[in-house]
PDB file of all heavy atoms in Angstrom:
ATOM      1  N   LEU B 331     -24.225   9.840   5.333  1.00 98.00           N
ATOM      2  CA  LEU B 331     -24.620   8.734   4.441  1.00 98.00           C
ATOM      3  C   LEU B 331     -24.783   7.444   5.228  1.00 98.00           C
ATOM      4  O   LEU B 331     -25.827   6.754   5.088  1.00 98.00           O
ATOM      5  CB  LEU B 331     -23.541   8.531   3.356  1.00 98.00           C
ATOM      6  CG  LEU B 331     -23.611   7.219   2.566  1.00 98.00           C
ATOM      7  CD1 LEU B 331     -24.859   7.151   1.713  1.00 98.00           C
ATOM      8  CD2 LEU B 331     -22.373   7.018   1.692  1.00 98.00           C
ATOM      9  N   LEU B 332     -23.806   7.117   6.053  1.00 98.00           N
ATOM     10  CA  LEU B 332     -23.837   5.812   6.734  1.00 98.00           C
ATOM     11  C   LEU B 332     -24.915   5.771   7.812  1.00 98.00           C
ATOM     12  O   LEU B 332     -25.412   4.687   8.149  1.00 98.00           O
ATOM     13  CB  LEU B 332     -22.455   5.480   7.317  1.00 98.00           C
ATOM     14  CG  LEU B 332     -21.349   5.364   6.274  1.00 98.00           C
ATOM     15  CD1 LEU B 332     -20.046   4.871   6.911  1.00 98.00           C
ATOM     16  CD2 LEU B 332     -21.735   4.448   5.104  1.00 98.00           C
ATOM     17  N   GLU B 333     -25.302   6.936   8.312  1.00 98.00           N
ATOM     18  CA  GLU B 333     -26.415   6.961   9.262  1.00 98.00           C
ATOM     19  C   GLU B 333     -27.739   6.665   8.565  1.00 98.00           C
ATOM     20  O   GLU B 333     -28.627   6.039   9.104  1.00 98.00           O
ATOM     21  CB  GLU B 333     -26.485   8.333   9.953  1.00 98.00           C
ATOM     22  CG  GLU B 333     -25.440   8.456  11.066  1.00 98.00           C
ATOM     23  CD  GLU B 333     -25.205   9.886  11.538  1.00 98.00           C
ATOM     24  OE1 GLU B 333     -25.882  10.800  11.022  1.00 98.00           O
ATOM     25  OE2 GLU B 333     -24.334  10.050  12.403  1.00 98.00           O
ATOM     26  N   LYS B 334     -27.827   7.122   7.325  1.00 97.00           N
ATOM     27  CA  LYS B 334     -29.059   6.912   6.564  1.00 97.00           C
ATOM     28  C   LYS B 334     -29.063   5.547   5.867  1.00 97.00           C
ATOM     29  O   LYS B 334     -30.067   4.895   5.758  1.00 97.00           O
ATOM     30  CB  LYS B 334     -29.141   8.027   5.509  1.00 97.00           C
ATOM     31  CG  LYS B 334     -30.474   8.112   4.760  1.00 97.00           C
ATOM     32  CD  LYS B 334     -30.388   9.273   3.748  1.00 97.00           C
ATOM     33  CE  LYS B 334     -31.375   9.125   2.618  1.00 97.00           C
ATOM     34  NZ  LYS B 334     -32.730   9.498   2.979  1.00 97.00           N
ATOM     35  N   ASN B 335     -27.885   5.155   5.393  1.00 98.00           N
ATOM     36  CA  ASN B 335     -27.767   3.933   4.606  1.00 98.00           C
ATOM     37  C   ASN B 335     -26.483   3.198   5.044  1.00 98.00           C
ATOM     38  O   ASN B 335     -25.417   3.488   4.524  1.00 98.00           O
ATOM     39  CB  ASN B 335     -27.733   4.283   3.126  1.00 98.00           C
ATOM     40  CG  ASN B 335     -27.556   3.075   2.234  1.00 98.00           C
ATOM     41  OD1 ASN B 335     -27.472   1.925   2.749  1.00 98.00           O
ATOM     42  ND2 ASN B 335     -27.478   3.282   0.948  1.00 98.00           N
ATOM     43  N   PRO B 336     -26.606   2.273   5.960  1.00 98.00           N
ATOM     44  CA  PRO B 336     -25.392   1.595   6.492  1.00 98.00           C
ATOM     45  C   PRO B 336     -24.704   0.692   5.477  1.00 98.00           C
ATOM     46  O   PRO B 336     -23.541   0.339   5.680  1.00 98.00           O
ATOM     47  CB  PRO B 336     -25.906   0.764   7.680  1.00 98.00           C
ATOM     48  CG  PRO B 336     -27.298   1.226   7.935  1.00 98.00           C
ATOM     49  CD  PRO B 336     -27.824   1.807   6.648  1.00 98.00           C
ATOM     50  N   SER B 337     -25.412   0.339   4.403  1.00 98.00           N
ATOM     51  CA  SER B 337     -24.812  -0.559   3.401  1.00 98.00           C
ATOM     52  C   SER B 337     -24.882   0.044   2.012  1.00 98.00           C
ATOM     53  O   SER B 337     -25.518  -0.505   1.112  1.00 98.00           O
ATOM     54  CB  SER B 337     -25.568  -1.913   3.388  1.00 98.00           C
ATOM     55  OG  SER B 337     -25.634  -2.436   4.668  1.00 98.00           O
ATOM     56  N   PRO B 338     -24.249   1.170   1.791  1.00 98.00           N
ATOM     57  CA  PRO B 338     -24.332   1.780   0.462  1.00 98.00           C
ATOM     58  C   PRO B 338     -23.548   0.968  -0.552  1.00 98.00           C
ATOM     59  O   PRO B 338     -22.541   0.342  -0.222  1.00 98.00           O
ATOM     60  CB  PRO B 338     -23.688   3.151   0.646  1.00 98.00           C
ATOM     61  CG  PRO B 338     -22.713   2.966   1.774  1.00 98.00           C
ATOM     62  CD  PRO B 338     -23.352   1.929   2.665  1.00 98.00           C
ATOM     63  N   THR B 339     -24.027   0.983  -1.798  1.00 98.00           N
ATOM     64  CA  THR B 339     -23.195   0.445  -2.874  1.00 98.00           C
ATOM     65  C   THR B 339     -22.155   1.508  -3.197  1.00 98.00           C
ATOM     66  O   THR B 339     -22.275   2.671  -2.784  1.00 98.00           O
ATOM     67  CB  THR B 339     -24.028   0.189  -4.132  1.00 98.00           C
ATOM     68  OG1 THR B 339     -24.566   1.475  -4.562  1.00 98.00           O
ATOM     69  CG2 THR B 339     -25.188  -0.772  -3.867  1.00 98.00           C
ATOM     70  N   GLU B 340     -21.137   1.097  -3.996  1.00 98.00           N
ATOM     71  CA  GLU B 340     -20.134   2.099  -4.400  1.00 98.00           C
ATOM     72  C   GLU B 340     -20.800   3.242  -5.141  1.00 98.00           C
ATOM     73  O   GLU B 340     -20.476   4.413  -4.944  1.00 98.00           O
ATOM     74  CB  GLU B 340     -19.077   1.449  -5.278  1.00 98.00           C
ATOM     75  CG  GLU B 340     -17.995   2.430  -5.725  1.00 98.00           C
ATOM     76  CD  GLU B 340     -17.064   1.903  -6.813  1.00 98.00           C
ATOM     77  OE1 GLU B 340     -16.795   0.694  -6.800  1.00 98.00           O
ATOM     78  OE2 GLU B 340     -16.635   2.707  -7.653  1.00 98.00           O
ATOM     79  N   GLU B 341     -21.767   2.918  -5.993  1.00 98.00           N
ATOM     80  CA  GLU B 341     -22.440   3.955  -6.778  1.00 98.00           C
ATOM     81  C   GLU B 341     -23.227   4.899  -5.868  1.00 98.00           C
ATOM     82  O   GLU B 341     -23.193   6.114  -6.055  1.00 98.00           O
ATOM     83  CB  GLU B 341     -23.367   3.323  -7.812  1.00 98.00           C
ATOM     84  CG  GLU B 341     -23.886   4.313  -8.812  1.00 98.00           C
ATOM     85  CD  GLU B 341     -24.833   3.710  -9.852  1.00 98.00           C
ATOM     86  OE1 GLU B 341     -25.415   2.636  -9.586  1.00 98.00           O
ATOM     87  OE2 GLU B 341     -24.962   4.332 -10.913  1.00 98.00           O
ATOM     88  N   GLU B 342     -23.882   4.331  -4.869  1.00 98.00           N
ATOM     89  CA  GLU B 342     -24.638   5.199  -3.931  1.00 98.00           C
ATOM     90  C   GLU B 342     -23.678   6.120  -3.180  1.00 98.00           C
ATOM     91  O   GLU B 342     -23.995   7.302  -2.962  1.00 98.00           O
ATOM     92  CB  GLU B 342     -25.440   4.347  -2.956  1.00 98.00           C
ATOM     93  CG  GLU B 342     -26.668   3.713  -3.575  1.00 98.00           C
ATOM     94  CD  GLU B 342     -27.323   2.628  -2.701  1.00 98.00           C
ATOM     95  OE1 GLU B 342     -26.658   2.123  -1.762  1.00 98.00           O
ATOM     96  OE2 GLU B 342     -28.492   2.310  -2.963  1.00 98.00           O
ATOM     97  N   ALA B 343     -22.547   5.589  -2.774  1.00 98.00           N
ATOM     98  CA  ALA B 343     -21.578   6.432  -2.068  1.00 98.00           C
ATOM     99  C   ALA B 343     -21.067   7.533  -2.977  1.00 98.00           C
ATOM    100  O   ALA B 343     -20.934   8.707  -2.579  1.00 98.00           O
ATOM    101  CB  ALA B 343     -20.408   5.582  -1.562  1.00 98.00           C
ATOM    102  N   ARG B 344     -20.788   7.204  -4.233  1.00 98.00           N
ATOM    103  CA  ARG B 344     -20.264   8.209  -5.152  1.00 98.00           C
ATOM    104  C   ARG B 344     -21.303   9.304  -5.400  1.00 98.00           C
ATOM    105  O   ARG B 344     -20.965  10.491  -5.481  1.00 98.00           O
ATOM    106  CB  ARG B 344     -19.866   7.538  -6.494  1.00 98.00           C
ATOM    107  CG  ARG B 344     -18.557   6.762  -6.401  1.00 98.00           C
ATOM    108  CD  ARG B 344     -18.131   6.206  -7.753  1.00 98.00           C
ATOM    109  NE  ARG B 344     -16.899   5.454  -7.687  1.00 98.00           N
ATOM    110  CZ  ARG B 344     -15.673   5.991  -7.741  1.00 98.00           C
ATOM    111  NH1 ARG B 344     -15.538   7.298  -7.892  1.00 98.00           N
ATOM    112  NH2 ARG B 344     -14.591   5.247  -7.632  1.00 98.00           N
ATOM    113  N   TYR B 345     -22.558   8.925  -5.573  1.00 98.00           N
ATOM    114  CA  TYR B 345     -23.585   9.944  -5.815  1.00 98.00           C
ATOM    115  C   TYR B 345     -23.845  10.784  -4.561  1.00 98.00           C
ATOM    116  O   TYR B 345     -24.039  11.993  -4.626  1.00 98.00           O
ATOM    117  CB  TYR B 345     -24.862   9.330  -6.365  1.00 98.00           C
ATOM    118  CG  TYR B 345     -24.801   9.195  -7.877  1.00 98.00           C
ATOM    119  CD1 TYR B 345     -24.279   8.071  -8.474  1.00 98.00           C
ATOM    120  CD2 TYR B 345     -25.270  10.241  -8.689  1.00 98.00           C
ATOM    121  CE1 TYR B 345     -24.182   7.970  -9.867  1.00 98.00           C
ATOM    122  CE2 TYR B 345     -25.181  10.152 -10.090  1.00 98.00           C
ATOM    123  CZ  TYR B 345     -24.634   8.994 -10.673  1.00 98.00           C
ATOM    124  OH  TYR B 345     -24.544   8.920 -12.037  1.00 98.00           O
ATOM    125  N   TRP B 346     -23.870  10.146  -3.391  1.00 98.00           N
ATOM    126  CA  TRP B 346     -24.095  10.893  -2.142  1.00 98.00           C
ATOM    127  C   TRP B 346     -22.990  11.953  -1.983  1.00 98.00           C
ATOM    128  O   TRP B 346     -23.249  13.079  -1.533  1.00 98.00           O
ATOM    129  CB  TRP B 346     -24.091   9.936  -0.964  1.00 98.00           C
ATOM    130  CG  TRP B 346     -24.394  10.607   0.336  1.00 98.00           C
ATOM    131  CD1 TRP B 346     -23.505  11.235   1.164  1.00 98.00           C
ATOM    132  CD2 TRP B 346     -25.676  10.758   0.964  1.00 98.00           C
ATOM    133  NE1 TRP B 346     -24.151  11.752   2.268  1.00 98.00           N
ATOM    134  CE2 TRP B 346     -25.471  11.480   2.169  1.00 98.00           C
ATOM    135  CE3 TRP B 346     -26.976  10.363   0.624  1.00 98.00           C
ATOM    136  CZ2 TRP B 346     -26.526  11.793   3.024  1.00 98.00           C
ATOM    137  CZ3 TRP B 346     -28.024  10.680   1.500  1.00 98.00           C
ATOM    138  CH2 TRP B 346     -27.789  11.384   2.678  1.00 98.00           C
ATOM    139  N   LEU B 347     -21.762  11.584  -2.349  1.00 98.00           N
ATOM    140  CA  LEU B 347     -20.608  12.468  -2.131  1.00 98.00           C
ATOM    141  C   LEU B 347     -20.307  13.349  -3.342  1.00 98.00           C
ATOM    142  O   LEU B 347     -19.282  14.044  -3.374  1.00 98.00           O
ATOM    143  CB  LEU B 347     -19.367  11.645  -1.786  1.00 98.00           C
ATOM    144  CG  LEU B 347     -19.429  10.895  -0.432  1.00 98.00           C
ATOM    145  CD1 LEU B 347     -18.223  10.006  -0.276  1.00 98.00           C
ATOM    146  CD2 LEU B 347     -19.530  11.878   0.736  1.00 98.00           C
ATOM    147  N   ALA B 348     -21.191  13.357  -4.346  1.00 98.00           N
ATOM    148  CA  ALA B 348     -20.900  14.102  -5.561  1.00 98.00           C
ATOM    149  C   ALA B 348     -20.790  15.610  -5.290  1.00 98.00           C
ATOM    150  O   ALA B 348     -20.146  16.335  -6.047  1.00 98.00           O
ATOM    151  CB  ALA B 348     -21.962  13.851  -6.632  1.00 98.00           C
ATOM    152  N   GLY B 349     -21.381  16.077  -4.211  1.00 98.00           N
ATOM    153  CA  GLY B 349     -21.287  17.495  -3.889  1.00 98.00           C
ATOM    154  C   GLY B 349     -20.093  17.839  -3.053  1.00 98.00           C
ATOM    155  O   GLY B 349     -19.956  18.964  -2.574  1.00 98.00           O
ATOM    156  N   ASN B 350     -19.186  16.892  -2.844  1.00 98.00           N
ATOM    157  CA  ASN B 350     -17.948  17.156  -2.119  1.00 98.00           C
ATOM    158  C   ASN B 350     -16.776  17.032  -3.064  1.00 98.00           C
ATOM    159  O   ASN B 350     -16.369  15.919  -3.416  1.00 98.00           O
ATOM    160  CB  ASN B 350     -17.762  16.153  -0.957  1.00 98.00           C
ATOM    161  CG  ASN B 350     -18.765  16.404   0.153  1.00 98.00           C
ATOM    162  OD1 ASN B 350     -19.875  15.864   0.131  1.00 98.00           O
ATOM    163  ND2 ASN B 350     -18.385  17.225   1.101  1.00 98.00           N
ATOM    164  N   LEU B 351     -16.274  18.157  -3.522  1.00 98.00           N
ATOM    165  CA  LEU B 351     -15.178  18.123  -4.471  1.00 98.00           C
ATOM    166  C   LEU B 351     -13.871  17.796  -3.784  1.00 98.00           C
ATOM    167  O   LEU B 351     -13.541  18.333  -2.732  1.00 98.00           O
ATOM    168  CB  LEU B 351     -15.046  19.468  -5.202  1.00 98.00           C
ATOM    169  CG  LEU B 351     -16.270  19.938  -5.988  1.00 98.00           C
ATOM    170  CD1 LEU B 351     -15.974  21.259  -6.657  1.00 98.00           C
ATOM    171  CD2 LEU B 351     -16.689  18.892  -7.017  1.00 98.00           C
ATOM    172  N   CYS B 352     -13.095  16.905  -4.430  1.00 98.00           N
ATOM    173  CA  CYS B 352     -11.729  16.657  -4.028  1.00 98.00           C
ATOM    174  C   CYS B 352     -10.903  16.769  -5.304  1.00 98.00           C
ATOM    175  O   CYS B 352     -11.239  16.191  -6.302  1.00 98.00           O
ATOM    176  CB  CYS B 352     -11.578  15.259  -3.421  1.00 98.00           C
ATOM    177  SG  CYS B 352      -9.833  14.785  -3.217  1.00 98.00           S
ATOM    178  N   ARG B 353      -9.826  17.549  -5.242  1.00 98.00           N
ATOM    179  CA  ARG B 353      -9.038  17.714  -6.451  1.00 98.00           C
ATOM    180  C   ARG B 353      -7.732  16.889  -6.382  1.00 98.00           C
ATOM    181  O   ARG B 353      -7.044  16.803  -7.382  1.00 98.00           O
ATOM    182  CB  ARG B 353      -8.694  19.210  -6.577  1.00 98.00           C
ATOM    183  CG  ARG B 353      -8.091  19.620  -7.916  1.00 98.00           C
ATOM    184  CD  ARG B 353      -8.998  19.373  -9.108  1.00 98.00           C
ATOM    185  NE  ARG B 353      -8.619  20.223 -10.233  1.00 98.00           N
ATOM    186  CZ  ARG B 353      -9.098  20.079 -11.457  1.00 98.00           C
ATOM    187  NH1 ARG B 353      -9.986  19.134 -11.715  1.00 98.00           N
ATOM    188  NH2 ARG B 353      -8.714  20.892 -12.434  1.00 98.00           N
ATOM    189  N   CYS B 354      -7.421  16.323  -5.247  1.00 98.00           N
ATOM    190  CA  CYS B 354      -6.138  15.598  -5.112  1.00 98.00           C
ATOM    191  C   CYS B 354      -6.237  14.127  -5.446  1.00 98.00           C
ATOM    192  O   CYS B 354      -5.341  13.579  -6.076  1.00 98.00           O
ATOM    193  CB  CYS B 354      -5.600  15.701  -3.683  1.00 98.00           C
ATOM    194  SG  CYS B 354      -5.102  17.349  -3.153  1.00 98.00           S
ATOM    195  N   THR B 355      -7.280  13.455  -4.965  1.00 98.00           N
ATOM    196  CA  THR B 355      -7.215  12.001  -4.886  1.00 98.00           C
ATOM    197  C   THR B 355      -7.861  11.283  -6.062  1.00 98.00           C
ATOM    198  O   THR B 355      -7.642  10.065  -6.220  1.00 98.00           O
ATOM    199  CB  THR B 355      -7.948  11.488  -3.641  1.00 98.00           C
ATOM    200  OG1 THR B 355      -9.355  11.808  -3.786  1.00 98.00           O
ATOM    201  CG2 THR B 355      -7.403  12.122  -2.382  1.00 98.00           C
ATOM    202  N   GLY B 356      -8.684  11.963  -6.838  1.00 98.00           N
ATOM    203  CA  GLY B 356      -9.460  11.253  -7.850  1.00 98.00           C
ATOM    204  C   GLY B 356     -10.546  10.385  -7.226  1.00 98.00           C
ATOM    205  O   GLY B 356     -11.148   9.544  -7.887  1.00 98.00           O
ATOM    206  N   TYR B 357     -10.777  10.562  -5.930  1.00 98.00           N
ATOM    207  CA  TYR B 357     -11.858   9.925  -5.148  1.00 98.00           C
ATOM    208  C   TYR B 357     -11.657   8.427  -4.869  1.00 98.00           C
ATOM    209  O   TYR B 357     -12.363   7.864  -4.035  1.00 98.00           O
ATOM    210  CB  TYR B 357     -13.243  10.143  -5.822  1.00 98.00           C
ATOM    211  CG  TYR B 357     -13.575  11.567  -6.096  1.00 98.00           C
ATOM    212  CD1 TYR B 357     -13.460  12.115  -7.375  1.00 98.00           C
ATOM    213  CD2 TYR B 357     -14.016  12.413  -5.071  1.00 98.00           C
ATOM    214  CE1 TYR B 357     -13.773  13.451  -7.627  1.00 98.00           C
ATOM    215  CE2 TYR B 357     -14.336  13.742  -5.315  1.00 98.00           C
ATOM    216  CZ  TYR B 357     -14.203  14.244  -6.613  1.00 98.00           C
ATOM    217  OH  TYR B 357     -14.525  15.561  -6.863  1.00 98.00           O
ATOM    218  N   ASP B 358     -10.744   7.781  -5.544  1.00 98.00           N
ATOM    219  CA  ASP B 358     -10.595   6.323  -5.432  1.00 98.00           C
ATOM    220  C   ASP B 358     -10.433   5.902  -3.974  1.00 98.00           C
ATOM    221  O   ASP B 358     -11.230   5.118  -3.433  1.00 98.00           O
ATOM    222  CB  ASP B 358      -9.388   5.892  -6.276  1.00 98.00           C
ATOM    223  CG  ASP B 358      -9.138   4.419  -6.263  1.00 98.00           C
ATOM    224  OD1 ASP B 358      -8.907   3.852  -5.185  1.00 98.00           O
ATOM    225  OD2 ASP B 358      -9.158   3.786  -7.358  1.00 98.00           O
ATOM    226  N   LYS B 359      -9.437   6.461  -3.319  1.00 98.00           N
ATOM    227  CA  LYS B 359      -9.170   6.026  -1.940  1.00 98.00           C
ATOM    228  C   LYS B 359     -10.241   6.510  -0.973  1.00 98.00           C
ATOM    229  O   LYS B 359     -10.492   5.879   0.062  1.00 98.00           O
ATOM    230  CB  LYS B 359      -7.769   6.472  -1.518  1.00 98.00           C
ATOM    231  CG  LYS B 359      -6.661   5.764  -2.310  1.00 98.00           C
ATOM    232  CD  LYS B 359      -5.278   6.196  -1.874  1.00 98.00           C
ATOM    233  CE  LYS B 359      -4.204   5.626  -2.812  1.00 98.00           C
ATOM    234  NZ  LYS B 359      -4.160   4.151  -2.815  1.00 98.00           N
TER     235      LYS B 359
END
Side-chain angles (χ1 to χ4, degrees):
Chain B
L331 165 67
L332 299 186
E333 282 165 2
K334 189 180 158 78
N335 178 1
S337 308
T339 62
E340 181 191 325
E341 191 180 22
E342 286 169 342
R344 285 184 180 275
Y345 274 88
W346 184 274
L347 295 174
N350 290 88
L351 301 181
C352 169
R353 192 61 158 170
C354 293
T355 65
Y357 305 102
D358 181 300
K359 293 181 188 298

